[in-house]
Structure formats: structure tokens, C-alpha cells
Amino acid sequence: MILAGFILSLITKPVMSLANIPDSMRDVAAPYLRIILLSGGFWGLENFLLQMVETLGESRVPAALSVAGTIGKTFLTVALVIWCGLGVEASALAILVEYLGTAAILLFWILRTEKGRELFRVPCMPSRSVWAELLKNGCVKSGMMMIIDLGAFIMKRQVNTFADDILVGYAYGVIPANLFMNSLAALAVAAGLITGQNEKKQMNVVRYWNRKLYLWSLCGCAVCMFAVLVFAPQIICFLAGDGLSETALWAGCLILRIQTCALPLVCLYMIARNSLQALGSYRVLPVLGAMEAGVSLLTAWVFIPRFGYPAVCWSVAVKWGIPALTGFLVYRRSTSVPSDHGFQGCDQD
């Protein structure tokens, strides 16, 4: 994975041609794309090590790293923009640093524990079931992400046919929107850990805590939505600096506002998906990925030619909403208990 990411980072020109990036934007896009491609391999390594730690029965370390990584990435992005004067590549560099740091800490934790060291002793009978579970989990999750990324790539090719000002605004608009989403993703990680660590399979407990996590995420969503609805132009101008055109500002504010207002859907999606994965309901994950990719393909081939840039922004809510509701219904059925009330599972708060 790391080797593939390194090789791709060296051939950004063919990748930009395949992605249909305009010639006028390639000098700006090249550093961002190079870092993102390089970080892809470390993202795979981080996820592999994260699954390994969770399989070993440790829940505190992944949760703490998820929260610390999200906070650190957010502050690092802002610091790189303010103090180093970087542009869109600031978010890519912060992502790479987060993946490297998290992978290093996870590997250190695994190697310092007896159970972790046993996984690397071959042959080791006790660890074969662990490796089998890791392989099953990893293959399904990788397949889901490949389907999602394929749809996103095809839509990105269509997006890159817009005018340069729109592309600039879009690039700056998704930076804070993704930061909000990554911050709230820590609660989804916690949902998966709570579900997976519930050895007695007490579904009422699982649903109770997942419901509380979703309610907490809604509080975070409300704060983000208020900030964006009131201060979106100031946020975009802060990231882009002086000289941003009105068209670019409009494009950035539109994607930022719509994607932020869709955060309750993506929080529901992530909590349901992580919980289903922790319950071993692997078959539904590629289906959810196919739904998300299907909306991207439909947007690229049908709605963008007809409605233009607004179709790209509104498709974000749709591509999260459909798998979110589907995943929630499957989650509800998988964790069904008497007196079924969605995420609610316990009477007491």
C-alpha cells in the first residue's frame, strides 16, 4: 500500500490528466495531489493497525488516537495556512502527518504488548483466528472504500470541467467542511468500539450508548451549522486570502453550507456503519458503498450536465442520506430488542 502510494505520488501528471484537472489549475493541484496520493498508503496501514488493536480487545487507545488525531489535524491545518502561507495543500499535509503519527503509535502499542507480539510469531495457532477476522474485516472495508472512491473519482472528473473560479471556491469550501466531519467522526469510532466490546451482546446497552453518541453529535452539528450559516464568507476568505473572486466565494460558501448542514446525516451514517461492522454484518457495507457511489455516478452523468455546480453540492446530502437511512434500518434490525425505539435502548439517561 505504501509503495503504491509512493509510486502514484511520482506520476501526478498522468493522474491529473485522468482526473480531468484543467491545465490552468495543475500547478496548484500538483502539491495537494502528490501529498494525498502519498498518504493513501499510510491511511491503509493506519486502518490495518487500528483493526488489529481493536481485535486484541483494546478500546481506549483507538478512541484516544481518533480524538487526538482529529484535533491535531485541525490545528495543524490552520497553523500551516496562517504561519506557513500554504493553500489547499495544507489540509493534505496535515492528513499525512496524522496518518504517520497514528500508525507509529499503534505499531508501538502492539509491539509492547504480549498479545500483539504473538500476532507476528509464525506459526502461531492462537493468532490465526485473529488474522482471519482482520482479513475479513479489512477486505470488506477496502472493497466498500474502492466502490465509493470510484464513484467519487468519476464525479470529480465532471466537476473539473467547471470554470477555474468555481474549482477554487470548491477547494476552499470543502476544507472546513471536511474538518467538521472528521471531528465528529470520533463519535462514530466510539460507537464501533462500544458495539464491538460488548461481549455479552446486550443490544439494549449498545443502542442506549449509540443513541447518546448520536445526540452528542447533533450538538456538534448544531454548532458547526450555526458558525457556517453566519460566517461562511469570512471562513472562505480567511483560508483563501485576498483576491478571491465573487464567483469563487459563492462556490465555496455553497458547498460549505450544504455539506455542513448534511452533517447529521453523515453522523447517522458513520455510527450505523461502524456499529454494523463491529457486529460482523460485513455484507451490508459494500451495499452502502454502492449506494453512495451510485449517487455520485448519477450526479456526474445526469444532474451536473443539467443543473451545473449546485447539483454537485446537493448531491453530498443525497449520497450520505440514502446509505444513512438504509444503514440505520439494518442496524435497527440487527440490534432489535423489545420496545424498539431506534437508537434508544435503555430507559434511564
Side-chain angles (χ1 to χ4, degrees), residues 176-193:
N178 287 339
L179 288 176
F180 296 152
M181 183 175 66
N182 291 333
S183 300
L184 294 169
L187 295 173
V189 173
L193 293 172

Side-chain angles (χ1 to χ4, degrees), residues 198-208 335 337 346:
N198 184 26
E199 297 179 356
K200 296 182 179 180
K201 302 299 180 184
Q202 295 175 316
M203 294 306 171
N204 60 327
V205 176
V206 169
R207 295 176 66 138
Y208 170 73
T335 59
V337 292
C346 290

